[in-house]
Amino acid sequence: MKTIDDLEVSGKRVLVRADLNVPLDGTRITDDGRIRASVPTLKTLLERGAKVIVTAHLGRPKGDPEGDKKYSLAPVAVRLSELLGAPVAFAADTVGESAKATVAALKDGEIALLENVRFNPAETSKDAVERGKFADQLAAFADLFVSDGFGAVHRRHASVYDVAEDLPNAAGYLITAELNVLKRLTENVERPYVVVLGGSKVSDKLGVIDNLLDKADRILIGGGMVFTFLKAQGHEVGKSLLEEDQLDTVRGYLERAKDSGVEIVLPVDVVAATAFAADAEHDVVAADAIPADRLGLDIGPESGKLFAAKLAGVKTVFWNGPMGVFEMEPYAAGTRAVAQGLIDSGAFTVVGGGDSAAAVRALGFDEAAFGHISTGGGASLEYLEGKDLPGISVLEG
């Protein structure tokens, strides 16, 4: 796989697929981590005299022009300009008249951002011909293609996969960094190797649990997904998030872990509330005694101590998913305890998934205290599941 260091870019038009899929509150960016992660590649290309055209997605627009306005990349262009310390021209469409005029006006060392690539339905089409035609339109803007949106490489989308077949291509710094880290989690892993999984649904993590049962020494489980594990053990979970259709699968995982010597650690206490609200009445209860009229919204303080103790002295940690509803202060302590436990462990730590990375920043932790903050989300999980990532395979091919 070539990297941007292998390309001669001076005076060339370079199309960069970035991952700028940031959370917005109206037009306010609430976490700019992914934008900042894209800066090293973009800055290098600009400094080397390229004309840089950036394409990216934001959210999942439905094809309604009025309703989709909230998915515009316009606020991202403003923030990217601030981070680069240079103007970012913004095209009001992806391959239309605005995009053509914006790209045509670029001089060497200048940058433009095209509007949300998913505003064009062909971007995500399952029809390879339809997708290919759109990719041809994007490719017509450029001489070279740089793939740097790791969070999208598990998608066979036009701007990720098909464009790479149209143009000489290379990986940006973000993709190479992510792959190097993921290899450290899958090849010759330094042990003990602990995985911390949270987030809302077990079903989102089935593949990764299945694969990691053969690789990890210990798996700590919190977040909304833990209640399916507790129910599988026969405990009352009240009104907590529960995936009844996954109970047999989870029981199978618990048996496999026992047989293979992998330690699965579940919370011993939880913060249980009367409603999904910051001001709801809430108490700490034993994990095996959640009242029928309450729902668990965080792991409890004893669980936070237990999880931190299970992280002490290990060599490698992968964390994906918060321990509770960290956006609400009463339910943030579990996630805070795990983040601090990662820092205190002295291990090589990887924080994977948008919610975990957002939690680290929202709770005031220094990103530099962790080995790597991944932008990968689903792409990271699919890599750890052992799945093929089309956006990576096309660069290698």
Side-chain angles (χ1 to χ4, degrees):
M1 185 191 302
K2 287 184 177 178
T3 73
I4 59 172
D5 293 334
D6 300 314
L7 297 179
E8 177 51 61
V9 301
S10 180
K12 299 285 181 67
R13 299 169 304 156
V14 182
L15 181 70
V16 179
R17 180 38 158 111
D19 181 3
L20 305 176
N21 186 26
V22 293
L24 291 172
D25 179 5
T27 58
R28 185 177 69 87
I29 296 166
T30 57
D31 179 13
D32 68 356
R34 281 183 165 147
I35 306 175
R36 285 187 287 111
S38 73
V39 166
T41 291
L42 299 177
K43 190 166 268 190
T44 295
L45 291 170
L46 292 171
E47 288 172 352
R48 286 167 55 189
K51 299 179 180 77
V52 179
I53 306 117
V54 182
T55 184
H57 76 278
L58 196 155
R60 297 186 178 182
K62 305 294 183 191
D64 167 27
E66 285 304 308
D68 284 347
K69 282 181 181 175
K70 63 184 178 182
Y71 296 115
S72 173
L73 283 170
V76 173
V78 174
R79 182 61 181 138
L80 183 58
S81 176
E82 292 169 352
L83 291 167
L84 288 171
V88 174
F90 182 65
D93 53 33
T94 54
V95 291
E97 293 310 310
S98 177
K100 289 173 184 174
T102 303
V103 170
L106 285 178
K107 297 181 176 65
D108 294 353
E110 292 185 346
I111 182 170
L113 173 64
L114 307 182
E115 183 55 285
N116 190 338
V117 74
R118 288 189 183 172
F119 282 173
N120 191 311
E123 161 70 3
T124 57
S125 175
K126 289 185 167 54
D127 183 330
V129 174
E130 184 182 4
R131 227 176 40 236
K133 286 178 180 175
F134 178 49
D136 291 346
Q137 290 178 285
L138 287 170
F141 287 140
D143 307 300
L144 302 167
F145 173 65
V146 169
S147 181
D148 207 37
F150 187 77
V153 293
H154 58 315
R155 308 288 188 198
R156 195 178 288 266
H157 288 172
S159 68
V160 176
Y161 179 82
D162 301 87
V163 168
E165 293 193 309
D166 284 351
L167 293 168
N169 61 63
Y173 292 141
L174 178 59
I175 278 191
T176 53
E178 294 277 7
L179 288 176
N180 288 337
V181 164
L182 289 169
K183 283 175 183 173
R184 287 186 66 173
L185 296 179
T186 53
E187 302 171 12
N188 303 315
V189 185
E190 279 196 85
R191 297 184 179 280
Y193 173 27
V194 176
V195 175
V196 185
L197 294 176
S200 57
K201 293 183 178 179
V202 173
S203 53
D204 290 343
K205 308 279 189 338
L206 289 178
V208 78
I209 295 171
D210 189 51
N211 206 29
L212 289 172
L213 280 171
D214 299 322
K215 294 180 173 64
D217 299 300
R218 184 179 298 148
I219 301 176
L220 316 184
I221 297 176
M225 64 185 286
V226 79
F227 301 107
T228 303
F229 278 82
L230 292 172
K231 185 72 172 180
Q233 291 183 326
H235 303 310
E236 170 67 58
V237 297
K239 295 193 221 171
S240 305
L241 189 63
L242 176 64
E243 291 183 271
E244 297 259 11
D245 59 335
Q246 302 299 339
L247 287 171
D248 286 343
T249 302
V250 167
R251 290 188 191 104
Y253 288 155
L254 291 168
E255 282 299 314
R256 263 183 67 196
K258 190 176 176 183
D259 293 343
S260 58
V262 175
E263 183 184 12
I264 290 189
V265 183
L266 301 178
V268 293
D269 59 352
V270 301
V271 181
T274 54
F276 188 85
D279 59 357
E281 182 184 333
H282 58 274
D283 297 292
V284 175
V285 301
D288 59 359
I290 299 171
D293 63 345
R294 299 218 172 191
L295 67 161
L297 294 179
D298 192 17
I299 63 171
E302 291 306 312
S303 301
K305 292 175 188 172
L306 171 65
F307 281 22
K310 293 292 184 179
L311 291 168
V314 306
K315 294 292 187 186
T316 306
V317 184
F318 173 67
W319 173 29
N320 183 284
M323 297 294 100
V325 188
F326 71 90
E327 299 91 341
M328 301 180 192
E329 182 52 38
Y331 319 117
T335 302
R336 191 177 283 116
V338 164
Q340 190 62 54
L342 260 72
I343 294 169
D344 294 342
S345 71
F348 172 63
T349 55
V350 178
V351 180
D355 285 345
S356 309
V360 161
R361 290 187 277 266
L363 297 176
F365 289 95
D366 180 1
E367 291 181 55
F370 301 89
H372 181 72
I373 306 279
S374 176
T375 62
S380 297
L381 290 179
E382 291 200 13
Y383 186 97
L384 293 176
E385 287 176 40
K387 289 184 177 178
D388 173 65
L389 305 181
I392 297 300
S393 299
V394 73
L395 300 178
E396 295 171 332

